[in-house]
Amino acid sequence: MPAATTTGELVVRVLRDLARHSPADLERWQQQVRSLGGCREPIRLTGSRLLVDQTTGEVLHAYSTEVEPHGHLLIRCGNRRETRCPACSTVYRRDAFHLVWAGLAGGKTVPDTVQTHPRVFATLTAPSFGPVHLGPDKAGRLRVCHPARKGLACWRKHKADDPLIGQPLDPRTYDYVGAVLWNAHAGKLWDRFMTYLRRELAKAAGLTLAEFTRRCRVAYAKVAEFQRRGLVHFHAVIRLDGRHPDDPEAILPAPAWATVALLEQAIRAAAARVEVSSPYSETFGVRRLRFGEQLDIRPITALGSGDITPERVAGYVAKYATKAAEAAGTLDRPIQARHLHRVTAIERTPDGITARVLEFIDPDRLPPGITDHALRMIATCWALGDRPEYADLHLKRWAHMLGFRGHFLTKARRYSTTLGALRAARIEHREQQTRERLGLPAEDESILVVAHWSLAGQGFTPGESILAAALAGDHTPTQPDPSPQEGERACA
Protein backbone atom coordinates (compact mmCIF):
# COMPACT_ATOMS: atom_id res chain seq x y z
CA MET A 1 0.00 0.00 0.00
CA PRO A 2 1.49 3.36 -0.96
CA ALA A 3 2.20 5.50 2.08
CA ALA A 4 0.16 8.66 2.40
CA THR A 5 2.03 11.86 3.19
CA THR A 6 -0.54 13.40 5.53
CA THR A 7 -3.19 12.26 7.96
CA GLY A 8 -5.77 14.03 5.81
CA GLU A 9 -4.95 11.86 2.83
CA LEU A 10 -5.35 8.74 4.98
CA VAL A 11 -8.76 9.90 6.19
CA VAL A 12 -9.88 10.65 2.63
CA ARG A 13 -8.92 7.17 1.53
CA VAL A 14 -10.85 5.58 4.39
CA LEU A 15 -13.96 7.66 3.69
CA ARG A 16 -13.81 6.99 -0.05
CA ASP A 17 -13.54 3.22 0.39
CA LEU A 18 -16.15 2.96 3.13
CA ALA A 19 -18.69 5.22 1.42
CA ARG A 20 -19.66 2.28 -0.79
CA HIS A 21 -20.96 0.34 2.24
CA SER A 22 -24.34 0.64 3.88
CA PRO A 23 -24.37 0.48 7.71
CA ALA A 24 -25.30 -3.21 7.57
CA ASP A 25 -22.59 -3.94 5.05
CA LEU A 26 -20.01 -2.08 7.10
CA GLU A 27 -20.95 -4.05 10.23
CA ARG A 28 -20.67 -7.35 8.33
CA TRP A 29 -17.36 -6.26 6.82
CA GLN A 30 -16.02 -5.53 10.29
CA GLN A 31 -17.14 -8.99 11.43
CA GLN A 32 -15.21 -10.56 8.56
CA VAL A 33 -12.09 -8.54 9.36
CA ARG A 34 -12.23 -9.50 13.04
CA SER A 35 -12.59 -13.17 12.09
CA LEU A 36 -9.35 -12.90 10.09
CA GLY A 37 -7.44 -12.43 13.33
CA GLY A 38 -5.17 -9.73 11.97
CA CYS A 39 -4.42 -11.16 8.49
CA ARG A 40 -2.90 -8.39 6.35
CA GLU A 41 -3.57 -9.78 2.87
CA PRO A 42 -6.79 -11.83 2.98
CA ILE A 43 -7.95 -13.90 0.03
CA ARG A 44 -11.17 -12.72 -1.61
CA LEU A 45 -13.50 -15.50 -2.75
CA THR A 46 -16.78 -15.61 -4.63
CA GLY A 47 -19.07 -18.61 -4.65
CA SER A 48 -21.61 -20.56 -2.63
CA ARG A 49 -21.93 -23.40 -0.14
CA LEU A 50 -24.84 -25.76 0.48
CA LEU A 51 -25.44 -28.29 3.28
CA VAL A 52 -27.70 -31.00 1.87
CA ASP A 53 -29.32 -33.98 3.57
CA GLN A 54 -28.33 -36.90 1.32
CA THR A 55 -31.27 -38.97 2.52
CA THR A 56 -34.07 -36.51 1.74
CA GLY A 57 -32.34 -34.04 -0.60
CA GLU A 58 -33.37 -31.18 1.67
CA VAL A 59 -31.13 -28.11 1.66
CA LEU A 60 -30.36 -27.58 5.35
CA HIS A 61 -28.35 -24.38 4.89
CA ALA A 62 -27.36 -22.16 1.98
CA TYR A 63 -24.71 -19.48 1.79
CA SER A 64 -23.62 -17.24 -1.06
CA THR A 65 -21.10 -14.42 -1.26
CA GLU A 66 -23.72 -12.32 -3.03
CA VAL A 67 -24.88 -11.15 0.39
CA GLU A 68 -21.38 -10.05 1.45
CA PRO A 69 -19.88 -6.55 1.11
CA HIS A 70 -18.34 -6.26 -2.38
CA GLY A 71 -19.76 -9.77 -2.97
CA HIS A 72 -16.59 -11.32 -1.49
CA LEU A 73 -15.82 -13.68 1.37
CA LEU A 74 -12.55 -12.88 3.13
CA ILE A 75 -10.36 -15.72 4.38
CA ARG A 76 -6.84 -15.79 5.79
CA CYS A 77 -3.94 -15.72 3.35
CA GLY A 78 -2.04 -18.46 5.21
CA ASN A 79 1.38 -16.96 4.38
CA ARG A 80 4.10 -18.42 6.60
CA ARG A 81 6.43 -15.41 6.31
CA GLU A 82 6.42 -13.10 9.30
CA THR A 83 7.31 -10.09 7.15
CA ARG A 84 4.29 -10.66 4.91
CA CYS A 85 1.59 -11.53 7.46
CA PRO A 86 2.46 -11.75 11.18
CA ALA A 87 -0.95 -13.19 12.08
CA CYS A 88 -0.87 -16.11 9.64
CA SER A 89 2.80 -16.75 10.29
CA THR A 90 1.96 -17.17 13.99
CA VAL A 91 -0.52 -19.92 13.12
CA TYR A 92 2.16 -21.57 10.98
CA ARG A 93 4.76 -21.20 13.75
CA ARG A 94 2.49 -22.86 16.27
CA ASP A 95 1.76 -25.71 13.87
CA ALA A 96 5.50 -26.12 13.33
CA PHE A 97 6.05 -26.11 17.10
CA HIS A 98 3.61 -28.97 17.64
CA LEU A 99 4.93 -30.90 14.65
CA VAL A 100 8.48 -30.85 16.05
CA TRP A 101 7.30 -31.29 19.64
CA ALA A 102 5.30 -34.43 18.79
CA GLY A 103 8.43 -36.07 17.35
CA LEU A 104 10.31 -35.41 20.59
CA ALA A 105 7.71 -35.98 23.30
CA GLY A 106 4.98 -38.03 21.62
CA GLY A 107 1.37 -37.29 20.83
CA LYS A 108 -0.56 -36.80 17.58
CA THR A 109 -0.10 -40.48 16.49
CA VAL A 110 3.49 -40.58 17.84
CA PRO A 111 4.08 -42.88 20.87
CA ASP A 112 5.45 -41.38 24.10
CA THR A 113 8.38 -43.80 23.92
CA VAL A 114 10.17 -41.45 21.49
CA GLN A 115 11.32 -39.59 24.62
CA THR A 116 13.79 -42.44 25.22
CA HIS A 117 15.08 -42.64 21.63
CA PRO A 118 18.59 -41.41 20.76
CA ARG A 119 18.11 -37.88 19.38
CA VAL A 120 20.31 -34.85 18.84
CA PHE A 121 19.98 -31.27 17.68
CA ALA A 122 22.52 -30.70 14.90
CA THR A 123 23.53 -27.55 13.03
CA LEU A 124 25.24 -27.86 9.65
CA THR A 125 26.71 -24.68 8.19
CA ALA A 126 28.00 -23.39 4.88
CA PRO A 127 31.72 -23.03 4.16
CA SER A 128 33.49 -19.70 3.85
CA PHE A 129 33.52 -17.87 0.53
CA GLY A 130 35.54 -14.97 1.86
CA PRO A 131 36.11 -13.18 5.17
CA VAL A 132 33.14 -11.23 6.56
CA HIS A 133 32.72 -8.88 9.49
CA LEU A 134 32.21 -10.75 12.77
CA GLY A 135 29.78 -9.96 15.56
CA PRO A 136 29.79 -11.01 19.24
CA ASP A 137 30.55 -14.62 20.14
CA LYS A 138 27.93 -17.12 21.33
CA ALA A 139 28.21 -15.79 24.86
CA GLY A 140 27.48 -12.25 23.65
CA ARG A 141 31.00 -11.00 24.27
CA LEU A 142 32.38 -8.47 21.81
CA ARG A 143 35.40 -9.67 19.87
CA VAL A 144 37.93 -8.06 17.61
CA CYS A 145 36.87 -8.47 13.97
CA HIS A 146 39.59 -10.29 12.01
CA PRO A 147 42.74 -9.21 13.86
CA ALA A 148 44.92 -10.61 11.07
CA ARG A 149 48.58 -9.76 10.82
CA LYS A 150 48.47 -10.55 7.12
CA GLY A 151 45.68 -10.09 4.64
CA LEU A 152 42.32 -8.46 5.35
CA ALA A 153 41.61 -7.11 8.81
CA CYS A 154 39.01 -4.93 10.49
CA TRP A 155 40.11 -4.54 14.14
CA ARG A 156 36.73 -3.16 15.21
CA LYS A 157 34.40 -4.69 17.80
CA HIS A 158 30.96 -4.93 16.18
CA LYS A 159 27.88 -4.91 18.38
CA ALA A 160 25.05 -7.36 17.62
CA ASP A 161 23.01 -4.75 15.77
CA ASP A 162 25.88 -3.51 13.60
CA PRO A 163 24.75 -3.72 9.93
CA LEU A 164 28.32 -4.55 8.90
CA ILE A 165 28.10 -8.03 10.46
CA GLY A 166 28.07 -10.65 7.70
CA GLN A 167 29.18 -8.21 5.01
CA PRO A 168 32.41 -9.13 3.15
CA LEU A 169 35.57 -7.33 4.16
CA ASP A 170 36.43 -7.04 0.47
CA PRO A 171 33.51 -7.58 -1.95
CA ARG A 172 35.95 -7.54 -4.88
CA THR A 173 37.55 -10.82 -3.77
CA TYR A 174 34.46 -12.48 -2.27
CA ASP A 175 33.41 -15.65 -4.14
CA TYR A 176 29.84 -14.66 -5.02
CA VAL A 177 29.52 -17.37 -7.67
CA GLY A 178 30.45 -20.06 -5.16
CA ALA A 179 28.08 -18.64 -2.56
CA VAL A 180 25.11 -18.59 -4.95
CA LEU A 181 25.85 -22.10 -6.22
CA TRP A 182 26.13 -23.36 -2.64
CA ASN A 183 22.70 -21.96 -1.76
CA ALA A 184 21.26 -23.46 -4.95
CA HIS A 185 22.59 -26.93 -4.05
CA ALA A 186 21.96 -26.79 -0.29
CA GLY A 187 18.86 -28.98 -0.51
CA LYS A 188 20.72 -31.58 -2.54
CA LEU A 189 23.57 -31.50 -0.04
CA TRP A 190 21.12 -32.32 2.74
CA ASP A 191 19.59 -35.22 0.79
CA ARG A 192 23.03 -36.66 0.14
CA PHE A 193 23.99 -36.10 3.78
CA MET A 194 21.07 -38.28 4.88
CA THR A 195 22.22 -41.03 2.48
CA TYR A 196 25.75 -40.91 3.91
CA LEU A 197 24.39 -40.78 7.47
CA ARG A 198 22.61 -44.12 7.06
CA ARG A 199 25.78 -45.64 5.63
CA GLU A 200 27.91 -44.30 8.48
CA LEU A 201 25.44 -45.55 11.08
CA ALA A 202 25.50 -49.03 9.53
CA LYS A 203 29.30 -48.96 9.42
CA ALA A 204 29.60 -47.84 13.06
CA ALA A 205 27.16 -50.57 14.15
CA GLY A 206 29.03 -53.27 12.21
CA LEU A 207 26.05 -53.98 9.94
CA THR A 208 25.43 -53.96 6.24
CA LEU A 209 23.28 -51.09 4.99
CA ALA A 210 20.46 -53.52 4.19
CA GLU A 211 20.55 -55.03 7.68
CA PHE A 212 20.65 -51.60 9.30
CA THR A 213 17.64 -50.49 7.21
CA ARG A 214 15.67 -53.55 8.37
CA ARG A 215 16.37 -52.86 12.04
CA CYS A 216 16.61 -49.08 12.36
CA ARG A 217 15.20 -45.88 10.86
CA VAL A 218 16.56 -42.32 10.81
CA ALA A 219 13.84 -39.72 11.38
CA TYR A 220 14.41 -35.99 11.25
CA ALA A 221 12.85 -32.54 11.14
CA LYS A 222 14.95 -29.63 9.90
CA VAL A 223 14.63 -25.92 9.29
CA ALA A 224 16.74 -23.73 7.02
CA GLU A 225 18.03 -20.43 8.40
CA PHE A 226 19.77 -17.65 6.53
CA GLN A 227 22.88 -16.26 8.17
CA ARG A 228 23.61 -12.56 7.88
CA ARG A 229 26.29 -13.39 5.31
CA GLY A 230 23.51 -14.60 2.98
CA LEU A 231 24.17 -18.33 3.22
CA VAL A 232 21.81 -21.06 4.36
CA HIS A 233 22.54 -23.41 7.23
CA PHE A 234 20.38 -26.19 8.65
CA HIS A 235 19.14 -26.89 12.17
CA ALA A 236 17.91 -30.48 12.46
CA VAL A 237 16.39 -32.80 15.02
CA ILE A 238 17.74 -36.27 14.18
CA ARG A 239 16.23 -39.31 15.90
CA LEU A 240 16.86 -43.07 15.70
CA ASP A 241 13.84 -45.42 15.70
CA GLY A 242 13.43 -49.16 15.61
CA ARG A 243 11.56 -50.84 12.78
CA HIS A 244 8.79 -53.44 12.97
CA PRO A 245 9.28 -56.20 10.36
CA ASP A 246 5.56 -56.38 9.55
CA ASP A 247 4.42 -52.80 10.23
CA PRO A 248 6.54 -50.17 8.45
CA GLU A 249 4.44 -47.34 9.96
CA ALA A 250 5.20 -48.32 13.57
CA ILE A 251 7.64 -46.21 15.60
CA LEU A 252 9.51 -48.56 17.95
CA PRO A 253 12.34 -47.97 20.46
CA ALA A 254 15.76 -48.06 18.81
CA PRO A 255 17.98 -51.14 19.21
CA ALA A 256 20.27 -51.17 22.25
CA TRP A 257 23.37 -50.53 20.11
CA ALA A 258 21.83 -47.34 18.69
CA THR A 259 23.10 -44.70 21.12
CA VAL A 260 23.52 -40.94 21.10
CA ALA A 261 27.29 -41.38 20.87
CA LEU A 262 26.93 -43.61 17.81
CA LEU A 263 24.57 -41.08 16.20
CA GLU A 264 26.93 -38.18 16.85
CA GLN A 265 29.90 -40.12 15.45
CA ALA A 266 27.96 -40.95 12.28
CA ILE A 267 26.76 -37.35 11.78
CA ARG A 268 30.30 -36.00 11.95
CA ALA A 269 31.57 -38.63 9.51
CA ALA A 270 28.71 -38.07 7.05
CA ALA A 271 29.01 -34.29 7.14
CA ALA A 272 32.74 -34.54 6.39
CA ARG A 273 32.20 -36.88 3.43
CA VAL A 274 29.23 -35.42 1.62
CA GLU A 275 29.92 -33.49 -1.57
CA VAL A 276 27.85 -32.19 -4.49
CA SER A 277 29.22 -30.99 -7.84
CA SER A 278 27.78 -28.01 -9.65
CA PRO A 279 27.10 -28.22 -13.41
CA TYR A 280 30.18 -27.70 -15.56
CA SER A 281 30.71 -24.18 -16.87
CA GLU A 282 33.38 -23.09 -19.32
CA THR A 283 33.83 -19.94 -17.28
CA PHE A 284 33.57 -21.24 -13.72
CA GLY A 285 34.36 -24.93 -14.15
CA VAL A 286 32.89 -27.44 -11.68
CA ARG A 287 32.45 -26.38 -8.07
CA ARG A 288 32.82 -29.03 -5.37
CA LEU A 289 30.28 -28.00 -2.76
CA ARG A 290 30.54 -29.22 0.84
CA PHE A 291 29.33 -28.32 4.32
CA GLY A 292 31.42 -25.95 6.41
CA GLU A 293 33.78 -26.97 9.18
CA GLN A 294 31.51 -25.60 11.91
CA LEU A 295 29.31 -28.50 13.01
CA ASP A 296 27.39 -28.35 16.28
CA ILE A 297 25.76 -31.50 17.71
CA ARG A 298 23.97 -31.48 21.05
CA PRO A 299 22.04 -34.33 22.70
CA ILE A 300 18.42 -33.51 23.43
CA THR A 301 17.68 -34.05 27.10
CA ALA A 302 14.54 -35.29 28.82
CA LEU A 303 11.48 -33.11 29.32
CA GLY A 304 12.10 -30.12 31.53
CA SER A 305 15.77 -30.82 32.24
CA GLY A 306 19.04 -29.53 30.77
CA ASP A 307 19.70 -26.80 28.23
CA ILE A 308 18.65 -28.56 25.00
CA THR A 309 15.14 -29.65 25.96
CA PRO A 310 12.33 -30.67 23.59
CA GLU A 311 10.51 -27.44 24.45
CA ARG A 312 13.44 -25.22 23.51
CA VAL A 313 14.27 -27.18 20.37
CA ALA A 314 10.67 -27.12 19.11
CA GLY A 315 10.43 -23.39 19.80
CA TYR A 316 13.73 -22.70 18.05
CA VAL A 317 12.81 -24.64 14.91
CA ALA A 318 9.33 -23.10 14.79
CA LYS A 319 10.79 -19.60 15.13
CA TYR A 320 12.90 -19.92 11.99
CA ALA A 321 10.16 -21.70 10.03
CA THR A 322 8.46 -18.32 9.55
CA LYS A 323 11.56 -16.48 8.35
CA ALA A 324 13.32 -16.44 5.00
CA ALA A 325 16.17 -14.65 3.25
CA GLU A 326 15.02 -11.20 4.35
CA ALA A 327 17.05 -11.85 7.52
CA ALA A 328 20.12 -11.58 5.27
CA GLY A 329 19.08 -8.14 3.98
CA THR A 330 17.23 -9.16 0.82
CA LEU A 331 13.63 -9.09 -0.45
CA ASP A 332 10.74 -11.16 0.90
CA ARG A 333 9.19 -11.69 -2.53
CA PRO A 334 10.40 -12.53 -6.08
CA ILE A 335 12.09 -10.08 -8.43
CA GLN A 336 9.45 -8.51 -10.67
CA ALA A 337 9.49 -6.68 -13.99
CA ARG A 338 9.39 -3.30 -12.28
CA HIS A 339 12.75 -4.07 -10.64
CA LEU A 340 14.51 -4.56 -13.99
CA HIS A 341 16.27 -2.31 -16.43
CA ARG A 342 16.00 -3.44 -20.05
CA VAL A 343 18.55 -2.74 -22.75
CA THR A 344 18.25 -3.65 -26.43
CA ALA A 345 21.52 -5.10 -27.74
CA ILE A 346 22.21 -5.20 -31.47
CA GLU A 347 24.13 -8.33 -32.49
CA ARG A 348 25.62 -9.33 -35.82
CA THR A 349 25.02 -13.00 -36.62
CA PRO A 350 25.60 -15.14 -39.72
CA ASP A 351 21.93 -14.60 -40.58
CA GLY A 352 22.18 -10.84 -40.32
CA ILE A 353 21.67 -8.26 -37.62
CA THR A 354 19.37 -9.17 -34.73
CA ALA A 355 18.15 -7.30 -31.68
CA ARG A 356 18.13 -8.95 -28.23
CA VAL A 357 16.64 -7.51 -25.06
CA LEU A 358 18.90 -7.79 -22.00
CA GLU A 359 17.55 -7.48 -18.45
CA PHE A 360 19.54 -6.18 -15.51
CA ILE A 361 18.70 -5.66 -11.84
CA ASP A 362 18.17 -1.94 -11.23
CA PRO A 363 19.14 -1.16 -7.60
CA ASP A 364 17.20 2.10 -7.70
CA ARG A 365 13.96 0.21 -8.41
CA LEU A 366 14.33 -2.29 -5.54
CA PRO A 367 12.66 -1.69 -2.16
CA PRO A 368 14.81 0.10 0.44
CA GLY A 369 16.73 -1.84 3.06
CA ILE A 370 18.58 -4.28 0.80
CA THR A 371 22.24 -4.54 1.76
CA ASP A 372 25.01 -4.15 -0.79
CA HIS A 373 26.08 -7.75 -0.14
CA ALA A 374 22.57 -9.10 -0.80
CA LEU A 375 22.32 -6.95 -3.92
CA ARG A 376 25.54 -8.46 -5.28
CA MET A 377 24.24 -11.98 -4.60
CA ILE A 378 20.96 -11.14 -6.36
CA ALA A 379 22.88 -9.74 -9.34
CA THR A 380 25.03 -12.89 -9.40
CA CYS A 381 21.90 -15.07 -9.45
CA TRP A 382 20.56 -13.01 -12.33
CA ALA A 383 23.79 -13.22 -14.31
CA LEU A 384 24.22 -16.98 -13.76
CA GLY A 385 20.57 -17.53 -14.60
CA ASP A 386 21.28 -16.50 -18.20
CA ARG A 387 23.77 -19.35 -18.62
CA PRO A 388 22.30 -22.55 -20.11
CA GLU A 389 24.41 -24.81 -17.87
CA TYR A 390 22.61 -23.41 -14.81
CA ALA A 391 19.12 -23.42 -16.31
CA ASP A 392 17.91 -26.25 -14.03
CA LEU A 393 18.77 -24.20 -10.95
CA HIS A 394 16.18 -21.50 -11.84
CA LEU A 395 18.42 -18.84 -10.33
CA LYS A 396 16.43 -15.90 -11.70
CA ARG A 397 13.23 -17.20 -10.16
CA TRP A 398 14.96 -17.62 -6.79
CA ALA A 399 17.22 -14.55 -6.95
CA HIS A 400 15.34 -12.96 -4.03
CA MET A 401 16.28 -16.06 -2.02
CA LEU A 402 19.93 -15.65 -3.02
CA GLY A 403 19.73 -18.88 -4.99
CA PHE A 404 18.17 -21.13 -2.32
CA ARG A 405 15.09 -22.91 -3.62
CA GLY A 406 14.30 -25.49 -0.95
CA HIS A 407 11.54 -25.66 1.63
CA PHE A 408 12.35 -24.05 4.94
CA LEU A 409 10.72 -26.70 7.14
CA THR A 410 10.95 -30.34 6.09
CA LYS A 411 10.82 -33.66 7.89
CA ALA A 412 11.07 -37.39 7.37
CA ARG A 413 7.73 -39.00 6.67
CA ARG A 414 7.56 -40.94 9.96
CA TYR A 415 9.09 -38.30 12.23
CA SER A 416 5.67 -37.14 13.47
CA THR A 417 2.37 -35.78 12.21
CA THR A 418 2.09 -33.44 9.23
CA LEU A 419 1.13 -29.80 8.78
CA GLY A 420 -1.74 -31.01 6.61
CA ALA A 421 -3.09 -33.15 9.45
CA LEU A 422 -2.93 -30.21 11.86
CA ARG A 423 -4.77 -27.99 9.38
CA ALA A 424 -7.36 -30.70 8.75
CA ALA A 425 -8.04 -30.98 12.49
CA ARG A 426 -8.51 -27.20 12.67
CA ILE A 427 -10.90 -27.25 9.69
CA GLU A 428 -12.89 -30.12 11.21
CA HIS A 429 -13.16 -28.22 14.50
CA ARG A 430 -14.49 -25.13 12.72
CA GLU A 431 -16.93 -27.25 10.73
CA GLN A 432 -18.29 -28.67 13.98
CA GLN A 433 -18.66 -25.14 15.37
CA THR A 434 -20.59 -24.12 12.24
CA ARG A 435 -22.96 -27.08 12.59
CA GLU A 436 -23.55 -26.33 16.25
CA ARG A 437 -24.38 -22.72 15.38
CA LEU A 438 -26.86 -23.91 12.75
CA GLY A 439 -28.38 -26.49 15.07
CA LEU A 440 -27.19 -29.45 12.95
CA PRO A 441 -25.78 -32.76 14.22
CA ALA A 442 -21.99 -32.53 14.58
CA GLU A 443 -21.24 -36.10 13.47
CA ASP A 444 -24.04 -36.69 10.95
CA GLU A 445 -22.37 -38.26 7.88
CA SER A 446 -25.58 -37.98 5.88
CA ILE A 447 -25.00 -34.22 5.45
CA LEU A 448 -23.30 -33.45 2.14
CA VAL A 449 -21.33 -30.24 1.60
CA VAL A 450 -21.68 -28.82 -1.94
CA ALA A 451 -19.42 -25.82 -2.50
CA HIS A 452 -18.02 -23.83 -5.40
CA TRP A 453 -15.42 -21.09 -4.90
CA SER A 454 -13.53 -18.80 -7.26
CA LEU A 455 -10.62 -16.49 -6.56
CA ALA A 456 -11.62 -12.83 -6.82
CA GLY A 457 -8.41 -11.20 -5.59
CA GLN A 458 -6.27 -10.61 -2.54
CA GLY A 459 -5.72 -7.85 -0.02
CA PHE A 460 -7.53 -4.73 1.15
CA THR A 461 -8.03 -1.42 -0.58
CA PRO A 462 -5.89 1.42 0.90
CA GLY A 463 -8.71 2.69 3.06
CA GLU A 464 -9.75 -0.78 4.19
CA SER A 465 -6.15 -1.52 5.18
CA ILE A 466 -6.15 1.41 7.60
CA LEU A 467 -9.43 0.42 9.24
CA ALA A 468 -8.52 -3.30 9.27
CA ALA A 469 -5.24 -2.50 11.06
CA ALA A 470 -7.17 -0.59 13.71
CA LEU A 471 -9.74 -3.37 14.13
CA ALA A 472 -7.02 -6.02 14.38
CA GLY A 473 -4.94 -4.09 16.89
CA ASP A 474 -5.73 -6.52 19.69
CA HIS A 475 -5.24 -9.49 17.39
CA THR A 476 -1.64 -8.72 16.44
CA PRO A 477 0.11 -11.96 17.43
CA THR A 478 2.74 -11.12 20.00
CA GLN A 479 2.06 -14.06 22.33
CA PRO A 480 4.77 -16.70 22.87
CA ASP A 481 4.49 -20.19 21.48
CA PRO A 482 1.83 -22.27 23.24
CA SER A 483 2.91 -24.77 25.84
CA PRO A 484 2.67 -28.47 24.95
CA GLN A 485 -0.25 -28.81 27.36
CA GLU A 486 -2.17 -26.27 25.25
CA GLY A 487 -1.55 -28.22 22.07
CA GLU A 488 -5.03 -29.42 21.36
CA ARG A 489 -6.57 -26.02 22.14
CA ALA A 490 -3.99 -24.08 20.09
CA CYS A 491 -4.38 -26.31 17.05
CA ALA A 492 -8.17 -26.20 17.16
Side-chain angles (χ1 to χ4, degrees), residues 320-350:
Y320 285 103
T322 61
K323 300 184 183 298
E326 61 269 12
T330 183
L331 300 98
D332 63 354
R333 60 195 71 200
I335 301 292
Q336 300 179 5
R338 66 175 183 270
H339 300 142
L340 303 176
H341 177 64
R342 291 178 172 83
V343 176
T344 301
I346 305 300
E347 297 181 346
R348 187 179 298 277
T349 66

Side-chain angles (χ1 to χ4, degrees), residues 30-40 76 85-91 93-94 467-479:
Q30 293 181 36
Q31 292 175 356
Q32 286 201 47
V33 171
R34 290 192 178 96
S35 69
L36 296 174
C39 177
R40 287 181 177 177
R76 291 185 176 188
C85 184
C88 291
S89 73
T90 294
V91 176
R93 187 182 73 240
R94 290 178 174 178
L467 183 56
L471 292 173
D474 295 335
H475 297 277
T476 301
T478 57
Q479 303 91 343

Side-chain angles (χ1 to χ4, degrees), residues 189-455:
L189 264 172
W190 173 264
D191 290 341
R192 194 158 295 180
F193 164 75
M194 291 304 300
T195 299
Y196 278 104
L197 178 57
R198 296 182 184 94
R199 294 176 183 175
E200 293 295 337
L201 284 167
K203 178 181 177 181
L207 303 173
T208 65
L209 181 59
E211 180 63 20
F212 171 82
T213 303
R214 284 194 293 269
R215 299 173 62 180
C216 196
R217 176 193 301 123
V218 181
Y220 73 87
K222 73 168 176 67
V223 66
E225 178 194 357
F226 266 91
Q227 296 173 304
R228 292 174 71 170
R229 58 179 175 146
L231 295 169
V232 165
H233 65 290
F234 297 118
H235 302 289
V237 175
I238 304 178
R239 187 187 73 208
L240 293 181
D241 302 335
R243 284 182 182 267
H244 193 287
D246 300 322
D247 186 3
E249 299 295 329
I251 300 177
L252 303 180
W257 48 262
T259 63
V260 171
L262 181 101
L263 178 57
E264 181 176 348
Q265 173 188 342
I267 290 174
R268 294 190 182 280
R273 285 187 57 193
V274 65
E275 180 180 281
V276 171
S277 298
S278 69
Y280 171 76
S281 169
E282 292 184 359
T283 305
F284 305 109
V286 175
R287 297 296 182 101
R288 308 293 181 185
L289 306 170
R290 306 172 64 90
F291 283 113
E293 295 180 358
Q294 293 185 353
L295 174 63
D296 185 51
I297 305 173
R298 302 187 185 186
I300 299 176
T301 59
L303 298 178
S305 63
D307 295 331
I308 310 300
T309 62
E311 300 96 321
R312 293 188 64 181
V313 170
Y316 191 84
V317 172
K319 170 186 174 182
Y320 285 103
T322 61
K323 300 184 183 298
E326 61 269 12
T330 183
L331 300 98
D332 63 354
R333 60 195 71 200
I335 301 292
Q336 300 179 5
R338 66 175 183 270
H339 300 142
L340 303 176
H341 177 64
R342 291 178 172 83
V343 176
T344 301
I346 305 300
E347 297 181 346
R348 187 179 298 277
T349 66
D351 298 331
I353 297 178
T354 60
R356 186 161 62 100
V357 177
L358 304 179
E359 295 180 333
F360 301 94
I361 301 293
D362 188 344
D364 295 332
R365 301 183 184 184
L366 293 175
I370 300 177
T371 65
D372 291 341
H373 179 53
L375 182 58
R376 290 187 181 95
M377 291 196 71
I378 291 173
T380 302
C381 288
W382 207 261
L384 295 181
D386 286 327
R387 293 178 173 270
E389 61 268 29
Y390 299 132
D392 291 340
L393 301 180
H394 304 288
L395 292 174
K396 283 190 172 183
R397 178 182 177 186
W398 298 104
H400 67 296
M401 299 292 292
L402 310 183
F404 179 67
R405 54 200 173 97
H407 292 285
F408 274 79
L409 178 63
T410 58
K411 70 175 189 67
R413 179 183 175 188
R414 296 182 182 88
Y415 171 80
S416 70
T417 186
T418 64
L419 292 174
L422 296 175
R423 294 179 185 125
R426 188 159 49 243
I427 292 173
E428 181 179 357
H429 176 73
R430 289 173 179 168
E431 181 65 25
Q432 291 177 353
Q433 289 181 320
T434 300
R435 292 191 178 193
E436 291 177 2
R437 187 174 67 253
L438 297 175
L440 301 176
E443 302 295 337
D444 192 349
E445 297 183 356
S446 66
I447 297 178
L448 177 66
V449 179
V450 181
H452 173 73
W453 303 106
S454 299
L455 177 65

